[in-house]
Amino acid sequence: MLDTSKKSVWLRAQEAEKGHWAYLWQDSSSQERIALINNEVIKGEFIFQEMADYFHINPKKDWANLKILDVGCGPLSLVARNSLGKTRVGVDPLKYPHWVYEDYEAKKFNVQLEPFEELSVLTKFDILIFYNALQHFADLDLVIAKCKSALAKGGVIFLSEYLKVPTNDAHIQYLEADKLDKLFRDSGFRVNSTTLPVRLPGFVERPDGTSIDLYVAKIDGSD
């Protein structure tokens, strides 16, 4: 569980995230929402594909019979959208309008509305996926501890995260590759990671139009 000070920071960040993001999903047919979906799908698919290409995996094929957990899935889980895995679950504490979950239900994607760190692990997962999620957590040590309890023997964690992005009121973790590597290694995981300079003009880039560093990692070794 988060200590009192970190819990306070996290709660403020969640409120900020609602203001920046969640409210846009209230009207399922608005032009603003449709544009947001298109943009977020393009960005999410791009950075996930960068990770998949680097590790030479075909998630649709390679994970077809596996149990997958999408951590911080939000309303646009690529696990749900692409029907990855035989069992697919998401976890995200932010609640979205009912139509989001109706769409997920049609994809056989079950969402747990709670913080990942507090997730009750009734079944272990073969694959844990994080993409653009770690910046939202107040305590990465708790995240890694939950990964250990949620991951099945022989399971793998895949991460695709932007590095060295300034924090703000909604995004409270400043991510660096060496620190992420160390956190997982210190917990007994085997880490295969790299930093890729990536750019998708108009979608994935820094404010000045230059490439952004993307951390991609394949992490395993949980008992």
Side-chain angles (χ1 to χ4, degrees), residues 130-199:
F130 293 77
Y131 60 104
N132 280 357
L134 289 179
Q135 61 193 325
H136 294 286
F137 289 96
D139 191 326
L140 295 183
D141 287 319
L142 292 180
V143 171
I144 292 169
K146 183 57 66 172
C147 285
K148 288 189 76 71
S149 67
L151 199 63
K153 186 175 182 179
V156 180
I157 305 165
F158 285 99
L159 293 97
S160 185
E161 301 279 352
Y162 298 138
L163 295 176
K164 299 182 178 179
V165 176
T167 59
N168 56 37
D169 53 354
H171 304 103
I172 54 181
Q173 279 289 346
Y174 185 78
L175 303 177
E176 297 177 286
D178 57 345
K179 291 182 179 179
L180 290 173
D181 285 350
K182 185 176 187 302
L183 281 169
F184 281 97
R185 285 181 177 139
D186 285 351
S187 292
F189 286 101
R190 294 189 297 273
V191 179
N192 179 359
S193 72
T194 194
T195 299
L196 305 172
V198 299
R199 180 170 181 257

Side-chain angles (χ1 to χ4, degrees), residues 10-167:
W10 181 80
L11 287 172
R12 289 197 300 271
Q14 288 293 290
E15 287 301 313
E17 186 73 3
K18 290 178 185 178
H20 288 312
W21 170 256
Y23 83 94
L24 292 171
W25 301 87
Q26 296 304 317
D27 181 354
S28 64
S29 61
S30 72
Q31 291 302 308
E32 185 178 31
R33 184 195 71 89
I34 293 169
L36 178 65
I37 284 179
N38 291 339
N39 288 346
E40 293 301 319
V41 166
I42 289 169
K43 289 189 288 185
E45 295 283 356
F46 174 76
I47 68 166
F48 186 78
Q49 193 59 49
E50 289 287 320
M51 181 274 295
D53 289 345
Y54 182 80
F55 292 113
H56 306 292
I57 58 173
N58 180 344
K60 190 77 172 179
K61 178 181 177 182
D62 298 341
W63 302 347
N65 295 314
L66 302 182
K67 296 178 180 178
I68 300 177
L69 178 64
D70 185 347
V71 182
C73 61
L76 282 175
S77 168
L78 60 82
V79 172
R81 193 166 60 251
N82 295 303
S83 299
L84 301 181
K86 184 175 182 180
T87 300
R88 59 193 74 101
V89 177
V91 57
D92 195 307
L94 276 183
K95 186 175 182 179
Y96 293 89
H98 65 89
W99 61 267
V100 171
Y101 304 104
E102 290 172 356
D103 288 349
Y104 277 160
E105 186 176 353
K107 291 287 189 179
K108 298 181 179 179
F109 184 74
N110 179 38
V111 179
Q112 303 299 308
L113 292 172
E114 58 186 316
F116 173 62
E117 309 94 311
E118 300 174 11
L119 180 68
S120 298
V121 182
L122 302 178
T123 183
K124 291 183 180 288
F125 295 90
D126 303 300
I127 302 289
L128 304 184
I129 294 175
F130 293 77
Y131 60 104
N132 280 357
L134 289 179
Q135 61 193 325
H136 294 286
F137 289 96
D139 191 326
L140 295 183
D141 287 319
L142 292 180
V143 171
I144 292 169
K146 183 57 66 172
C147 285
K148 288 189 76 71
S149 67
L151 199 63
K153 186 175 182 179
V156 180
I157 305 165
F158 285 99
L159 293 97
S160 185
E161 301 279 352
Y162 298 138
L163 295 176
K164 299 182 178 179
V165 176
T167 59

